[in-house]
């Protein structure tokens, strides 16, 4: 679209705040972070260059490795489960049921609460002496052992449960919006063809909701990378280091441990990983968009 | 009120040339239609005139003023879009008056103009409705109204009827034609529908591949198409084409030899020239019914009733030829027939340059 | 189902069964929080998590709101509530305004640098906020924005920018270009088109934006702690103080009441406007 | 009771703040003392400061890291509080190096700190010959607190050494109580490890590991014994300990549900707040195989460089008040610590504090705290390994030794 002087100037001017934020805050912070990660800064930044020693130390750090592994396991399961559950809920809510509004709100409300707020309730529910386990004992199931929250090999799944509870409603909302946008004639066509509803959903509807799935996946992925509150509020990384995550590693080293050299090295590593994944996707999307614009 | 002159406009997206050195002159009061298949550059040319698309080179002059570097709103134009592009959150009144408000016209003047336009287009009862509450035809009228209130020097229409059903389209066509006649404004109108073009235009510019093939009045365009493309694009049912070679004052088509004498040729054609002969279906008749022209033998292939006419398809050697027949007569046509080709109205094109000879 | 209304009743039963069980799972934490907050401490200690309060009392709520202690101050979390409101309103407005204008400029005008800017914003959507905390403190101190209401508003605008720009850009990208052309032929400029045509059209997506920002900003803890200044500490900071400090024995009922009180605003927003949320998304909010 | 006063003080602070220079004696203090005993202790400071003519503006933020995040960021950002809390040790080194803290030499000279504060504690606030913080108290970090009621029921007695400890723990366990109340969070795992390190490894081991980063010690037999003893303790904690707060663990002893709790003497604040008295409802001891072995740290307040003379005045007044003899005693009583000044009358303190005073007066019985010996980065890195070792039973002691050794060698 053309722009002659007046409007082009206005459009360019309108972008100044965003440009300023992007260049000064985002890029500036990133450059600073990368630089500090190559110094031996501790509590306060200094400029003593130490090359890649912070990175050596980072990748020799068991907690960092565990954090990254946790994030990978958590991230994959979290995205798959929220997408599946969110889609399933959306399909069921879309079956012309009673109380749809009410159910939708019930599924969506957890998203409005932060883990700073709900972490306590979850920790309590999963507490081996107070929570669900105790209730089971009280009603006579003495053999029930539910101690996943305090088991190193299971704690990550308790976080998963809380996280799925938190985000599935949002996925459901996105999927529901997608379902409502599907051409009703598709349903007529599949009924005439005698295709059972479940097959229609899997082989016809799911491919049609590609956009909704992509959106939900991106949103879930951003929340995975940023995962911090949940770990702090539910387990504080424990037991041991079993539920540590990278963002918490960064945060702890940044402030509590006064080791910002290491913290920025960790942040830079995360950033590079993200860019390595996001950049090609953006490029592809851009190219597709350019092609569509022709 | 005034005309438009477009000279040497060019535009390219990368290596794709969308407009190639276009020259076009629209006289004041003229109704010019830009006609062509999709992708021919007609909408881009319209956008260039409107100032909505940047051009690489060339100039646009409206009413004698060079407007090449002006904002669309400063060119004295009004425009009607294919999707109508009505502002969905505004009422009909809001849509009509928005441009006038932007131009800071006095309130009374705005009301006067909106009222007048609404009356003219029978929009008065709809003034307080939003576009979502209107039918397709009503929206179309609002879109035209929005252009009319502007008192513009030049009206641009970008396929304004293509979203309407067939009946409405015919009605609106008549209405637009009437508006042009009554108001006498200058119009540049884009369409891919040749019937629309033929019925509305005072002059048609047929475009292909970013170039204007021919710019002429509808009759001339129909009767003396300048290129093979124009000949094929204009006219329904389409013109019959036969490739052949010129030999001794005849054009030889697969052993069939037709004389060149009756053809309205611009000059002599050298022997051996590869040519394409074009004959419109209405210039083919049944010799047995007394049709005049060059007689050839053919066999009946099939018949295609079209209401007012029936289109008869015959095999002429390896070629198929169509012929406009009266429906009653067509019912008894079968087997071998003798066709009369009225070559006085035929066109001859150079097979290489595809230009009229 | 709209599509095949005559489904078997057994299948319907299964659908309702699954939905009800899911609803229970989703409601469980909220239920536990509410019943606990209505119990007295002796009952909390002895009873089980799920039992209804035998003698419901709102004492814990009153205490959480007006007299729970953190350090020397025993004013409950009510002070923080008003601070949060004070932060919330301008922050939501500013972040949505900047996001909407940026999204509009990016999608419908595509000025120079648009692709680059959008790329940066997309990448930043994936970066943990913590990475920016320290440099931002430095920058803010340089321009004198630290520990102030304007400071925290700017911070929320900065971190709301990627998401807000994304949803507005996607929404505006779905608007026919001809509408823009028509407006320009009518003589409207950048701001006029934005104000009189685009913004009124964007109401569904503005609702989505408001919901996202209200919940995000209300729930923020770390930015409030670092950037707001002690006079403006939001409710979450006080909630942390109440929940993570104890005066002798842990008062779970007060903790839970404080937690619910803190969550009340976003909860209300969701329960009231949940239907708008789905509609807004359906209107093209989030198309990836 | 506080609330009205607090409101008034807030109002006063705001009013004075608005009036500008008149806000001479207002001090905003950031700290993380929010539990029962802690906030009672802070109130002593606030009240004494008010008596001295100042106005205390309280910024309590639960959780040390949260409070330090806010304090450090505000200091760097040019809007520092009047005073901020630190643990004694290296936490504020870089603030000094970057010239962000004001010294309190004048107060130190006037009150003759050199003569009345134990050298180990005084050294911890001195940098380049200047005092940069007020050492308000001394904490012992490796106390054993036990419920006399539970011990009586179980037939257990105060443990005399580390071998005896396990005998007593077994008795408590057999009687059906939780033997060892534990708030299983990373820093308390480290503190418990340090207790074992001091008790089994002695002062040489403790300073060898944290201070000198002595590889030979860490790879030697004594350290191995420390590690094994530490792990043995795990058999005596209850399954719900992970994630529990330390004061909730102390509460288990207070309520008679658990027999023993290993914690710094600040835990006494919780006992006191619950109306219990040392020597009656609960007992206390320090266990060291070599005798002595008192791990000694403390709390300090540091003063960011003042922006104007009024703030400087308030800081001086605050420092003076905090170190005044009566404040010191009253504070120590509430907090559970002992005064950093040795010239005050300690007869009003409880018997645990009396024991502590003895350790403090005997240099050979002291071990400087972890924070005094190692920077937070190293402490944190080793803490992660200790935590993993405690929680992961599959980690061998050999692996543990190897990891600690490499962390000591590689942390910058």
């Amino acid at each position: 679209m053309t722009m002659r002087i007046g409007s082009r100037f206005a459009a360019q001017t309108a972008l100044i705040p965003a440009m300023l934020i992007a260049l000064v805050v985002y890029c500036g912070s990133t450059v600073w972070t990368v630089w500090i990660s190559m110094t031996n800064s501790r509590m306060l930044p200094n400029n003593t260059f130490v090359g890649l020693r912070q990175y050596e130390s980072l990748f020799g750090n068991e907690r960092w490795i565990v954090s990254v592994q946790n994030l990978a396991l958590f991230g994959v399961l979290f995205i798959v489960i929220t997408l599946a559950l969110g889609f399933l809920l959306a399909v069921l809510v879309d079956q012309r049921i009673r109380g749809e509004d009410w159910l939708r709100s019930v599924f969506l409300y957890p998203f409005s609460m932060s883990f700073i707020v709900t972490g306590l309730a979850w920790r309590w529910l999963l507490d081996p002496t107070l929570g669900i386990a105790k209730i089971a004992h009280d009603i006579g199931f003495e053999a029930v052992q539910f101690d996943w929250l305090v088991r190193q090999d299971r704690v990550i799944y308790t976080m998963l449960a809380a996280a799925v509870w938190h985000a599935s409603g949002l996925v459901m909302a996105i999927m529901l919006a997608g379902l409502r946008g599907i051409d009703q004639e598709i349903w007529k066509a599949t009924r005439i063809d005698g295709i059972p509803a479940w097959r229609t959903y899997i082989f016809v509807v799911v491919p049609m909701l590609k956009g909704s799935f992509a959106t939900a996946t991106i949103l879930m992925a951003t929340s995975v990378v940023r995962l911090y509150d949940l770990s702090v509020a539910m387990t504080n990384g424990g037991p041991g280091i079993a539920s540590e995550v990278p963002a918490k590693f960064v945060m702890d080293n940044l402030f509590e441990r006064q080791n910002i050299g290491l913290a920025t090295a960790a942040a830079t590593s995360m950033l590079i990983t993200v860019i390595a994944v996001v950049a090609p996707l953006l490029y592809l999307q851009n190219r597709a968009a350019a092609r569509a614009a022709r | 009120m005034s005309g438009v002159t477009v000279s040497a406009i060019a535009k390219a997206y990368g290596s794709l040339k969308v407009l190639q050195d276009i020259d076009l002159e629209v006289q004041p009061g003229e109704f010019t239609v830009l006609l062509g298949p999709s992708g021919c550059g007609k909408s881009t040319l319209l956008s260039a005139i409107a100032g909505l698309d940047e051009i690489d080179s060339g100039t646009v002059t409206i009413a004698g003023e060079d407007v090449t570097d002006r904002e669309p709103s400063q060119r004295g134009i009004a425009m009607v879009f294919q999707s109508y592009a009505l502002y969905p959150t505004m009422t009909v009144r809001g849509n009509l008056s928005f441009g006038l408000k932007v131009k800071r016209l006095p309130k009374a003047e705005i009301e006067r103009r909106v009222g007048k336009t609404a009356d003219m287009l029978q929009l008065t009862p709809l003034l307080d409705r939003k576009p979502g509450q209107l039918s397709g035809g009503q929206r179309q009228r609002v879109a035209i109204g929005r252009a009319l209130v502007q008192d513009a020097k030049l009206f641009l229409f970008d396929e304004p009827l293509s979203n309407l059903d067939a009946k409405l389209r015919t009605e609106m066509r008549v209405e637009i034609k009437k508006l042009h006649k009554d108001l006498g404004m200058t119009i540049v109108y884009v369409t891919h529908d040749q019937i629309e073009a033929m019925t509305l235009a005072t002059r048609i510019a047929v475009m292909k591949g970013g170039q204007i093939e021919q710019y002429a009045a509808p009759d001339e365009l129909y009767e003396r198409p300048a290129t093979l493309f124009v000949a094929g694009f204009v006219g329904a049912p389409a013109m019959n084409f036969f490739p052949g070679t010129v030999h001794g004052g005849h054009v030889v088509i697969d052993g069939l030899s037709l004389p060149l004498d009756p053809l309205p040729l611009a000059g002599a054609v050298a022997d051996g020239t590869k040519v394409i002969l074009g004959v419109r279906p209405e210039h083919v008749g049944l010799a047995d019914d007394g049709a005049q022209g060059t007689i050839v033998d053919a066999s009946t292939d099939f018949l295609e009733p079209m209401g007012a006419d029936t289109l008869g398809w015959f095999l002429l050697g390896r070629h198929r030829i169509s012929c406009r027949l009266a429906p009653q007569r067509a019912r008894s046509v079968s087997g071998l027939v003798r066709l009369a080709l009225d070559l006085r109205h035929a066109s001859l094109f150079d097979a290489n340059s595809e230009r009229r000879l | 189902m709209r599509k095949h209304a005559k489904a078997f009743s057994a299948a319907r039963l299964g659908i309702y069964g699954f939905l009800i069980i899911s609803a229970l799972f989703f409601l469980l934490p909220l239920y536990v929080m509410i019943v606990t907050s209505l119990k007295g401490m002796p009952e909390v200690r002895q009873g089980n998590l799920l039992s209804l309060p035998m003698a419901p009392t709102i004492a814990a709520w009153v205490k959480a709101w007006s007299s729970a202690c953190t350090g020397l101050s025993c004013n409950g979390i009510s002070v923080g509530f008003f601070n949060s409101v004070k932060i919330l309103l301008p922050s939501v407005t500013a972040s949505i305004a900047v996001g909407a204008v940026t999204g509009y400029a990016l999608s419908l005008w595509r000025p120079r640098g648009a692709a680059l800017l959008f790329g940066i914003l997309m990448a930043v959507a994936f970066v943990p906020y913590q990475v920016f905390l320290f440099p931002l403190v430095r920058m803010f101190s340089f321009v004198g924005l630290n520990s102030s209401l304007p400071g925290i508003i700017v911070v929320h605008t900065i971190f709301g920018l990627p998401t807000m720009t994304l949803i507005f850009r996607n929404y505006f990208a779905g608007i026919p270009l001809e509408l823009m052309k028509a407006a320009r032929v009518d003589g409207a400029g950048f701001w006029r088109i934005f104000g009189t045509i685009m913004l009124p059209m964007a109401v569904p997506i503005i609702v989505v934006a408001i919901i996202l920002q209200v919940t995000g900003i209300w729930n923020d803890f770390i930015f409030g702690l670092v950037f707001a200044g002690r006079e403006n500490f939001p409710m979450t900071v006080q909630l942390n103080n109440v929940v993570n400090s104890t005066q002798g024995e842990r008062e779970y009922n007060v903790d839970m009441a404080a937690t619910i009180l803190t969550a009340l605003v976003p909860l209300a927003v969701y329960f009231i406007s949940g239907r708008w949320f789905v509609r807004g998304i359906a209107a093209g909010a989030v198309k990836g | 009771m506080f609330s009205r006063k607090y409101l008034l003080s807030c109002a006063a602070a705001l009013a004075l703040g608005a009036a500008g220079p008149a806000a001479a004696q207002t001090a905003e203090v950031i700290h993380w003392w929010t539990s029962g005993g802690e906030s009672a202790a802070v109130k002593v400071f606030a009240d004494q400061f008010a008596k001295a003519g100042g106005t205390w503006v309280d910024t309590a933020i639960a959780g040390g890291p949260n409070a330090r995040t806010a304090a450090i960021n505000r200091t760097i950002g040019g809007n520092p509080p009047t005073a901020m809390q630190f643990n004694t040790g290296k936490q504020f080194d870089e603030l000094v190096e970057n010239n962000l803290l004001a010294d309190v030499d004048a107060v130190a000279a006037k009150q003759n700190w050199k003569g009345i504060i134990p050298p180990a504690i005084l050294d911890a606030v001195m940098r380049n010959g200047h005092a940069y913080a007020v050492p308000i108290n001394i904490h012992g970090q490796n106390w054993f607190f036990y419920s006399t009621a539970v011990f009586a029921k179980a037939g257990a007695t105060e443990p005399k050494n580390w071998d005896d400890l396990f005998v007593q723990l077994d008795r408590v366990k057999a009687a059906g109580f939780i033997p060892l109340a534990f708030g299983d969070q990373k820093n308390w795992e480290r503190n418990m490890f340090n207790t074992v390190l001091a008790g089994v490894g002695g002062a040489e081991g403790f300073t060898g590991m944290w201070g000198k980063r002595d590889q030979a010690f860490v790879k030697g037999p004594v350290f191995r014994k420390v590690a094994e003893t530490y792990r043995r303790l795990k058999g005596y904690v209850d399954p719900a300990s992970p994630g529990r707060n330390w004061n909730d663990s102390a509460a288990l002893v207070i309520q008679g549900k658990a027999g023993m709790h290993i914690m710094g003497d600040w835990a006494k604040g919780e006992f006191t707040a619950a109306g219990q008295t040392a020597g009656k409802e609960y007992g206390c001891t320090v266990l060291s195989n070599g005798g002595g072995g008192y791990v000694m740290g403390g709390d300090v307040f540091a003063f960011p460089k003042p922006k104007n003379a009024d703030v400087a005045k308030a800081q001086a007044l605050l420092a003076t008040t905090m170190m005044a003899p009566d404040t010191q005693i009253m504070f120590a009583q509430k907090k559970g610590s002992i005064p950093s000044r040795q010239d005050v009358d300690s007869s009003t303190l409880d018997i645990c504090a009396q024991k502590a005073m003895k350790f403090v007066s005997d240099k050979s019985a002291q071990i400087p705290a972890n924070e005094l010996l190692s920077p937070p980065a190293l402490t944190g890195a080793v803490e992660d390994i200790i935590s993993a070792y405690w929680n992961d039973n599959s980690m061998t002691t050999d692996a543990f030794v190897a990891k600690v050794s490499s962390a000591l060698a590689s942390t910058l």
Side-chain angles (χ1 to χ4, degrees), chain A residues 206-220:
Chain A
V206 169
M208 285 179 81
L209 291 186
K210 216 165 57 187
S212 302
F213 274 96
T215 303
T217 308
I218 289 174
L219 283 177
M220 295 300 110

Side-chain angles (χ1 to χ4, degrees), chain B residues 143-159:
Chain B
I144 292 173
R146 191 172 62 181
L148 287 182
V149 284
Q150 294 288 338
D151 252 2
K153 298 176 192 136
L154 172 65
F155 289 83
L156 307 176
F157 287 75
D158 189 0
E159 308 214 23

